[in-house]
Amino acid sequence: MLIANPRAARTLYPAELRAILSIDKARQSRQWLSHWREIAPVATPLHDLPDLAEALQIARFSVKDESARSPLGSFKALGAPAALVRQILRLHPDIDPQGVLAGRYADRLKNYTVVSATDGNHGRGLAAAARDAGCYCVIVLHANVSQEREKAIAAYGAQIVRIAGNYDESVQEAARLASAHGWQVVSDTSYEGYEDIPRDVMQGYGTIAAEIVEQTAVQPDTAGAYTHVMLQGGVGGMAAGLISYLWEHQGVNRPRFIVVEPVQADCLMQSAIQGRPARATGSVDSVMAGLACGETSPLAWRFLDTSVDHFATIEDNEAIDAMRVLARGSEQDIPIVAGESGVAGLAALRRLRGDASLSAQAGLDAQSRVLIINTEGATAPSVFRQLAGTSADEILQRQQQFSRKNHVR
Ligand SMILES: Cc1ncc(COP(=O)(O)O)c(C=O)c1O
């Protein structure tokens, strides 16, 4: 399903949004995390896949590969850790933010507790950052988070609280625990009266956009390398973090933005239809665990409301097919470890290019240059192996062979 956003406009980045998310602040977050041991010291790869571009009958197809961002396996390593540093700085304005994740203030933070709900990746990022900062971390998991994801979070020393309900109920439980025990919620989704930390999380994601701008040498206020950028949505934070940066940088010449969600967790599409942050209409549960969110983040929605041109939904089996396509690679396309939630952009693009009328609606044609963000690698390795039909290690080996053969650095 594809809808055009009736409120999409092509304007300069509004001053009231710049006061919330800005390139300047994104630069700061990037700097603070640049020496953290859980973040790769170099930009994540921006792969061009010419064979896939040809198959999709477009001029260029690129993948910004966030599976290489961090041993944590996803772009979420940029969000919670940046927000934790900012929060600690609010409490202790005298500290050096660069020293927080190096553990320099562990003594002062040992009685500080942070808590969050997660469907996996955000919690892992928060747990790792809390461990390195020296504070205590509690993670609330809903019924559908796998044991494998739970173990990965617990490995960073976080205390796990399991609830019987869904993701939205785990968000409420984290808020309840925080107010009962005096803990600090570090959530990637906003709600009434709680916006500062989710803003800081989204600001952390700006690093991805900053690298794209550098890797494609886009000058300010000009059309960049891409005509279309496909962004997957859970609560909308990742899309908002990237869109805000590219919108501020490129202004009216920004690319077309298409937001993609699982059909069962379509809260962002529903928000576009209703003209305000809305709930999903489906069961919410999806193989795309990171996108299985039933409620839009109201703060993220402020950025998406007039900037997203189209909203698309995809089926779980389309995501699985897309995982296999990227895992396989080809003569000219490097194989990529792309997880269930990472491939949503490609899954939607394949659907749109397979239908002339949908392509026309989305303005996709043989001249289009399309970017997707592979937001995760094999964050749940056994699920990945089962769905992709091969292991992440095997793909990485083929990736190395490809790079040697093609002299890719
Ligand atoms: C791998 C992955 N991609 C995308 C998203 C979506 O991010 P957001 O919920 O900020 O829209 C998530 C969220 O958990 C995720 O884990």
Side-chain angles (χ1 to χ4, degrees):
M1 163 112 162
L2 178 77
I3 65 156
N5 179 7
R7 281 177 310 288
R10 216 155 256 281
T11 63
L12 287 174
Y13 187 54
E16 66 270 21
L17 294 186
R18 187 183 286 123
I20 306 170
L21 292 180
S22 67
I23 290 177
D24 274 354
K25 283 261 168 61
R27 202 172 287 130
Q28 234 177 15
S29 306
R30 185 181 183 186
Q31 175 65 20
W32 294 348
L33 263 54
S34 61
H35 300 294
W36 188 31
R37 61 178 166 157
E38 298 287 351
I39 296 277
V42 293
T44 57
L46 183 67
H47 296 299
D48 268 325
L49 305 185
D51 285 340
L52 201 42
E54 193 181 336
L56 291 162
Q57 298 183 36
I58 55 176
R60 183 176 183 186
F61 177 69
S62 308
V63 180
K64 176 70 171 162
D65 188 7
E66 290 301 300
S67 69
R69 177 67 64 191
S70 161
L72 304 171
S74 85
F75 79 104
K76 291 264 166 179
L78 296 170
L84 182 64
V85 175
R86 270 190 203 280
Q87 177 60 17
I88 290 171
L89 197 55
R90 275 194 280 273
L91 298 174
H92 304 282
D94 60 309
I95 64 165
D96 167 12
Q98 304 239 77
V100 173
L101 296 177
R104 229 192 288 159
Y105 305 99
D107 246 16
R108 283 164 77 173
L109 296 171
K110 62 176 185 283
N111 295 320
Y112 189 57
T113 301
V114 290
V115 57
S116 182
T118 186
D119 38 33
N121 293 328
H122 171 75
R124 196 181 299 192
L126 181 61
R131 178 202 60 187
D132 286 356
C135 53
Y136 197 71
C137 180
V138 179
I139 296 294
V140 185
L141 300 179
H142 61 86
N144 287 328
V145 178
S146 68
Q147 288 294 329
E148 191 171 33
R149 289 187 189 274
E150 173 177 336
K151 266 202 199 134
I153 298 168
Y156 291 98
Q159 179 190 331
I160 307 291
V161 174
R162 205 27 114 159
I163 65 151
N166 63 17
Y167 174 75
D168 300 324
E169 287 161 305
S170 65
V171 171
Q172 289 159 18
E173 178 61 8
R176 194 194 65 74
L177 286 170
S179 75
H181 299 286
W183 300 340
Q184 177 60 55
V185 177
V186 179
S187 169
D188 56 353
T189 194
S190 67
Y191 41 86
E192 175 102 36
Y194 179 78
E195 291 200 332
D196 287 357
I197 288 177
R199 174 200 62 207
D200 299 342
V201 170
M202 294 194 291
Q203 190 68 90
Y205 306 153
T207 294
I208 305 169
E211 290 178 2
I212 294 166
V213 164
E214 289 161 9
Q215 287 166 317
T216 56
V218 190
Q219 296 308 307
D221 301 314
T222 64
Y226 301 103
T227 54
H228 295 71
V229 178
M230 322 272 302
L231 297 158
Q232 55 273 66
V235 301
M238 193 279 290
L242 268 69
I243 285 177
S244 65
Y245 193 106
L246 297 175
W247 191 2
E248 180 174 349
H249 186 68
Q250 294 179 255
V252 295
N253 293 310
R254 68 168 175 79
R256 255 185 220 243
F257 294 119
I258 303 180
V259 162
V260 184
E261 299 169 282
V263 68
Q264 339 50 325
D266 61 346
C267 57
L268 300 172
M269 181 182 274
Q270 289 304 320
S271 303
I273 292 167
Q274 296 173 33
R276 61 186 163 76
R279 299 182 66 88
T281 51
S283 66
V284 175
D285 194 20
S286 163
V287 74
M288 293 166 262
L291 312 184
C293 304
E295 282 190 52
T296 300
S297 166
L299 184 62
W301 184 250
R302 288 177 64 180
F303 292 84
L304 308 183
D305 186 24
T306 62
S307 63
V308 177
D309 298 285
H310 298 274
F311 290 85
T313 54
I314 51 167
E315 306 281 346
D316 281 1
N317 66 314
E318 292 173 311
I320 296 166
D321 289 347
M323 286 172 76
R324 289 173 179 246
V325 168
L326 288 181
R328 203 160 44 233
S330 68
E331 181 67 26
Q332 296 189 82
D333 295 356
I334 191 165
I336 296 176
V337 181
E340 308 85 278
S341 298
V343 294
L346 174 58
L349 183 62
R350 292 178 85 212
R351 160 86 77 92
L352 298 180
R353 291 306 282 150
D355 182 313
S357 134
L358 292 178
S359 276
Q361 275 181 57
L364 286 162
D365 59 27
Q367 272 71 53
S368 298
R369 302 179 305 275
V370 184
L371 171 68
I372 70 155
I373 318 292
N374 174 32
T375 49
E376 69 176 348
T379 52
S382 69
V383 177
F384 181 90
R385 197 177 316 109
Q386 189 199 339
L387 298 179
T390 178
S391 72
D393 283 348
E394 206 262 333
I395 298 169
L396 289 174
Q397 271 172 25
R398 285 193 284 109
Q399 205 174 65
Q400 278 171 7
Q401 285 160 11
F402 180 98
S403 298
R404 271 199 298 276
K405 188 168 140 222
N406 295 280
H407 310 292
V408 180
R409 278 195 305 153

